[in-house]
Amino acid sequence: MKAVEAPVKKSETRSREKTDKPWQVVVLDDPVNLMEYVSRVLIRVFGFSKEKADVLMMAVHERGRAIVWSGGREKGEMYVNQLHSAQLNATLEKAE
Amino acid sequence: MTIAPTVSGGLKLLPEEEQDWLVLFKIADDADGDLARHFAGLMDEDSMWEEIVVPELDHEFSAQRKKIMKAVFEARDGAEEGLVIERKDAEDWYGALNQARLLLEEKYRFGSREPRDPNEIKDSEMRSAYFRNDFYGTVQSLLLEYVMVD
């Protein structure tokens, strides 16, 4: 007789992970931090190219905010911690 | 105050009168605030920012202020003329000046990166803060241009 197989939990987990929305690191504009400095911090913290960092920096400057990274909460908090350490206004938000 | 790059990749600040030294001493006062808690206010309560991150940031920001004040006192009392910001210290100088500017902005709302006519500022304390803020920003720009280069 063939043994009854236990329900496969793995696929449920995978499916939940797929639908879970990621967390986003958002940098907010402020009138103090110099634009070049903001780019430098984005390069240092996230390893972005100069071009990508400049695009994101301009987005922060012109639109007031920019999503610079998305992924798991814990890693997002680590990045926000580094941005705060560099004195940039940043927060962590759940993707909509 | 004269500011110039040094051949070793630093920045030299040469105060020419007592007022210039006073501005340098004022950095620590202007930077002395609750900046770490300001950043915590941007996070949700679940993040435990107040409990975990704020003390770390407080410590880090305080260390920057202490370091640059020590340098100013030593330069004032030292035999060498002026004050040299070496490359290894540039991040701390930039950070302390940034703290000062962020807190001045919080207090006075100078409001933008655009230049403003200081003659329009009637309050003398605020006008003085405006000039300091402008000076701090200039030093930061020079640090980025000449010292904090890769």
Side-chain angles (χ1 to χ4, degrees):
Chain A
M1 185 197 279
K2 198 177 174 184
V4 177
E5 289 181 12
V8 182
K9 288 269 183 188
K10 210 172 178 180
S11 64
E12 276 178 31
T13 311
R14 272 196 195 140
S15 138
R16 193 163 56 242
E17 277 173 0
K18 272 184 187 169
T19 55
D20 255 6
K21 291 181 176 138
W23 289 85
Q24 298 172 329
V25 174
V26 180
V27 176
L28 306 164
D29 191 30
D30 70 73
V32 169
N33 277 298
L34 303 175
M35 292 159 83
E36 190 191 332
Y37 177 70
V38 175
S39 286
R40 290 173 59 99
V41 172
L42 293 176
I43 291 168
R44 192 178 68 207
V45 172
F46 297 99
F48 294 153
S49 65
K50 174 86 169 74
E51 291 72 24
K52 182 171 182 181
D54 284 348
V55 166
L56 288 168
M57 176 274 291
M58 284 308 294
V60 173
H61 181 57
E62 288 169 357
R63 291 181 226 141
R65 53 183 276 137
I67 297 162
V68 296
W69 182 87
S70 59
R73 175 159 191 151
E74 201 172 319
K75 196 163 185 185
E77 286 184 342
M78 181 197 77
Y79 283 137
V80 175
N81 190 348
Q82 291 179 50
L83 294 170
H84 287 178
S85 173
Q87 301 173 28
L88 299 193
N89 281 341
T91 189
L92 194 63
E93 295 177 354
K94 190 92 166 159
E96 287 179 9
Chain B
M1 175 114 55
T2 303
I3 307 174
T6 67
V7 286
S8 61
L11 198 67
K12 184 161 193 169
L13 280 64
L14 267 173
E16 287 149 2
E17 50 191 81
E18 185 58 25
Q19 188 70 21
D20 293 341
W21 283 107
L22 291 178
V23 171
L24 293 177
F25 282 115
K26 197 76 178 147
I27 298 169
D29 288 340
D30 288 332
D32 190 11
D34 211 352
L35 202 54
R37 198 147 282 108
H38 157 82
F39 290 120
L42 300 170
M43 300 297 287
D44 66 30
E45 287 175 6
D46 293 343
S47 66
M48 308 279 286
W49 228 244
E50 281 278 349
E51 296 83 352
I52 298 167
V53 180
V54 166
E56 285 177 11
L57 290 180
D58 255 338
H59 179 74
E60 191 179 330
F61 295 160
S62 168
Q64 286 178 338
R65 296 194 300 269
K66 283 179 187 163
K67 183 171 181 173
I68 70 138
M69 271 306 97
K70 186 168 179 281
V72 174
F73 273 105
E74 285 176 356
R76 174 67 187 267
D77 300 335
E80 296 291 321
E81 193 184 17
L83 186 161
V84 175
I85 302 173
E86 303 287 0
R87 186 171 286 189
K88 67 180 171 54
D89 301 322
E91 292 279 350
D92 288 322
W93 272 90
Y94 191 98
L97 291 166
N98 218 47
Q99 288 181 58
R101 291 182 60 236
L102 285 165
L103 290 163
L104 285 173
E105 173 61 27
E106 199 168 278
K107 187 172 180 184
Y108 294 108
R109 304 280 170 206
F110 293 126
S112 74
R113 297 179 175 94
E114 308 304 319
R116 180 173 171 175
D117 181 2
N119 293 320
E120 288 176 2
I121 305 172
K122 302 297 175 202
D123 180 77
S124 63
E125 192 181 323
M126 187 176 177
R127 193 165 54 249
S128 170
Y130 176 86
F131 285 121
R132 289 199 306 280
N133 185 59
D134 194 47
F135 170 72
Y136 300 158
T138 301
V139 176
Q140 284 186 304
S141 296
L142 292 170
L143 284 171
L144 284 175
E145 188 173 353
Y146 294 107
V147 187
M148 296 161 75
V149 286
D150 298 324

